[in-house]
Amino acid sequence: MQSTHQALAPHSAGLAMAAQLPGSVVLGREGDDYSMFLLSQCVRDATNRYLTTRALPAPGTTCTD
């Protein structure tokens, strides 16, 4: 998970890390906060889906809620 506008952790850094980890993707969330799981139902749904089924979101997925 990576917010698109975090000041201290740019979205590009999350993408660069995922590129080094085979089989990984970045779930983006439009915004500048660090509390994505608390604020976004989309992030919670994607996280819970991964934890229960190991299904990753599609590459390039960005939550906007």
Side-chain angles (χ1 to χ4, degrees):
M1 292 179 279
Q2 181 78 36
S3 287
T4 56
H5 303 292
Q6 288 179 352
L8 299 177
H11 192 253
S12 60
L15 295 172
M17 184 188 326
Q20 296 179 40
L21 300 169
S24 66
V25 298
V26 174
L27 173 63
R29 179 178 184 268
E30 190 65 39
D32 61 359
D33 54 73
Y34 290 90
S35 52
M36 294 171 278
F37 191 83
L38 297 174
L39 298 174
S40 171
Q41 184 65 50
C42 173
V43 169
R44 283 193 302 276
D45 290 346
T47 301
N48 290 332
R49 186 171 32 261
Y50 175 73
L51 292 174
T52 57
T53 69
R54 307 272 300 168
L56 291 170
T61 299
T62 300
C63 295
T64 58
D65 64 346

